[in-house]
Amino acid sequence: MLLHATLDTISVLAQGIELPPEPPPKSEKLLTLGRWASWVVMFSGVLALVYGGGKFGWEKFNGGSLESPKIIAGALVGGVVAASAGGIMAAVVS
């Protein structure tokens, strides 16, 4: 009986308290800056892909050395890192 009561108490304590995340006071300007930064990162990633694709076509047309696949791979890796940064930070913080 004592063991059962102890296990019930532990299970209640293990549930914890859920606190929803809330931005700090007067943080609207910082959040706006973060939103703008995320748009700049996305836009620069799209531009890098367009540039790499154009360079790839130019190199194929002229028969030069192929450096553009590195640019495209770098843009894709950067996009994955930028897209997952929010999830990574949420996992680290919580």
Side-chain angles (χ1 to χ4, degrees):
M1 186 68 150
L2 182 61
L3 180 63
H4 183 65
T6 305
L7 289 177
D8 285 341
T9 305
I10 291 173
S11 67
V12 169
L13 293 175
Q15 289 176 359
I17 300 171
E18 292 293 325
L19 297 174
E22 185 177 310
K26 301 190 183 206
S27 65
E28 189 59 38
K29 290 183 181 181
L30 185 62
L31 293 173
T32 302
L33 180 66
R35 289 184 200 109
W36 278 74
S38 67
W39 276 104
V40 167
V41 168
M42 284 188 278
F43 186 68
S44 64
V46 170
L47 284 179
L49 286 174
V50 170
Y51 173 75
K55 187 170 180 169
F56 184 73
W58 182 261
E59 290 170 352
K60 281 296 227 181
F61 181 72
N62 288 334
S65 65
L66 292 177
E67 296 178 7
S68 55
K70 294 181 219 172
I71 296 171
I72 294 173
L76 292 175
V77 168
V80 168
V81 169
S84 62
I88 292 170
M89 288 307 296
V92 168
V93 170
S94 54

